[in-house]
Amino acid sequence: MSITQKLGRIPLIQGTLEALQDLLFPPYCLGCQRRLDHSRPPLLCADCCQALSFITPPYCLGCGLPFAGGSSHLCGLCLQHHYAFDRACSALAYTPPVSSLLLALKFSGQTTVVATLAALVRESGACTLLHPPDLILPVPLHRLRLRERGFNQAMLLSRHCFPQWRNRIAPELLQRVRATRPQSQLSGRQRRSNLKGSFQLKSSSALRGKHLLLVDDVFTSGSTVNECAKTLRRAKPAAIEVFTLSRSLDKGQS
Ligand SMILES: [Zn+2]
Ligand SMILES: [Zn+2]
């Protein structure tokens, strides 16, 4: 058999393997467990896809807060230089099914949802808004939390959402040195004080003059990424951008 004939068979073999896999492990919608007729991410049925809320303009050009109408501009907090980062953007609103997928990832260890979340990020086009970073810094977990969970969701999201920049991920440069109460249990003011002194730089020289991209799963009040950005500022980077997979639009928490 010629090499061309052999290569021609590869898609056929791949297709057969995928069909066999679907037969043995039938694909289900990760949002509502309904059976799917495809196994390519995003693993969501038409109804769950319909429920997705992509973040689109108009929004704040600083922190990414979506506006109900008008054109994109800076919000009140950004006009007051409230945040230590230069810019933040998110792909999706923190509503079902995205919120349930993230909860399944963080609290049930369902790492299989990451491929679906990354496919949604690609669909959102949010990544195209980002400046190509020199370094990607996943928001770190404290070592005790990391040991308990077994993985850092921000690290998984960095790898899957930005495969083209995978070799720029530097998880060791920013460290979480204080174990804190989960931010989700706290009010806005408590969130800010809870995080004080939580992060530390491993090496300032590696960050100096660099374009940094901080990655996390949810932007709620922005306290976590802001505390990270404050710590990173000490190293005098060229810019700090923030990407979060989702953003909570609950105004009470902003
Ligand atoms: Zn569904
Ligand atoms: Zn803003």
Side-chain angles (χ1 to χ4, degrees):
M1 190 188 288
S2 74
I3 187 82
T4 330
Q5 279 171 317
K6 277 184 186 167
L7 285 174
R9 278 192 168 192
I10 290 173
L12 186 72
I13 295 168
Q14 218 164 21
T16 312
L17 286 176
E18 278 175 15
L20 192 67
Q21 187 180 336
D22 288 357
L23 195 72
L24 294 172
F25 307 103
Y28 287 91
C29 170
L30 295 172
C32 67
Q33 278 68 55
R34 192 180 296 173
R35 183 85 182 262
L36 294 177
D37 59 5
H38 66 91
S39 54
R40 293 232 165 92
L43 291 178
L44 291 173
C45 70
D47 287 343
C48 287
C49 281
Q50 191 74 36
L52 292 168
S53 175
F54 288 97
I55 293 182
T56 54
Y59 40 59
C60 171
L61 298 168
C63 69
L65 175 75
F67 299 135
S71 56
S72 295
H73 55 274
L74 290 177
C75 75
L77 287 179
C78 288
L79 283 170
Q80 293 166 33
H81 305 288
H82 175 79
Y83 298 111
F85 50 80
D86 296 289
R87 221 170 129 254
C89 71
S90 312
L92 296 132
Y94 187 72
T95 52
V98 170
S99 51
S100 46
L101 261 61
L102 281 174
L103 291 172
L105 171 65
K106 290 201 284 188
F107 302 108
S108 307
Q110 283 187 37
T111 50
T112 48
V113 305
V114 176
T116 286
L117 293 170
L120 296 177
V121 169
R122 277 195 293 279
E123 208 175 303
S124 76
C127 298
T128 56
L129 301 170
L130 299 166
H131 187 284
D134 296 311
L135 293 168
I136 295 181
L137 306 167
V139 167
L141 291 182
H142 188 266
R143 59 185 170 74
L144 295 179
R145 180 73 57 81
L146 186 62
R147 197 180 300 161
E148 181 191 330
R149 191 169 289 169
F151 61 88
N152 176 357
Q153 69 278 4
M155 179 69 187
L156 287 183
L157 290 171
S158 301
R159 276 197 201 136
H160 285 80
C161 296
F162 307 109
Q164 72 280 32
W165 298 327
R166 199 171 275 211
N167 59 358
R168 301 180 197 182
I169 303 174
E172 70 290 350
L173 294 178
L174 182 65
Q175 297 182 334
R176 200 166 193 139
V177 289
R178 226 162 49 78
T180 50
R181 285 171 64 194
Q183 290 288 92
S184 53
Q185 297 173 1
L186 306 169
S187 70
R189 188 184 292 252
Q190 287 173 322
R191 278 167 187 256
R192 287 187 289 278
S193 58
N194 183 45
L195 289 164
K196 275 212 162 57
S198 294
F199 301 98
Q200 211 170 62
L201 300 177
K202 181 79 183 291
S203 158
S204 290
S205 57
L207 300 164
R208 191 157 303 136
K210 296 282 168 41
H211 209 110
L212 308 179
L213 177 63
L214 255 176
V215 175
D216 207 1
D217 53 343
V218 196
F219 185 114
T220 303
S221 65
S223 300
T224 305
V225 286
N226 201 42
E227 196 59 34
C228 288
K230 273 189 205 167
T231 309
L232 292 169
R233 280 276 167 229
R234 293 185 210 139
K236 300 191 173 25
I240 304 172
E241 285 196 316
V242 172
F243 173 79
T244 59
L245 176 107
S246 66
R247 177 159 185 144
S248 166
L249 302 179
D250 180 353
K251 286 194 179 67
Q253 293 181 316
S254 297

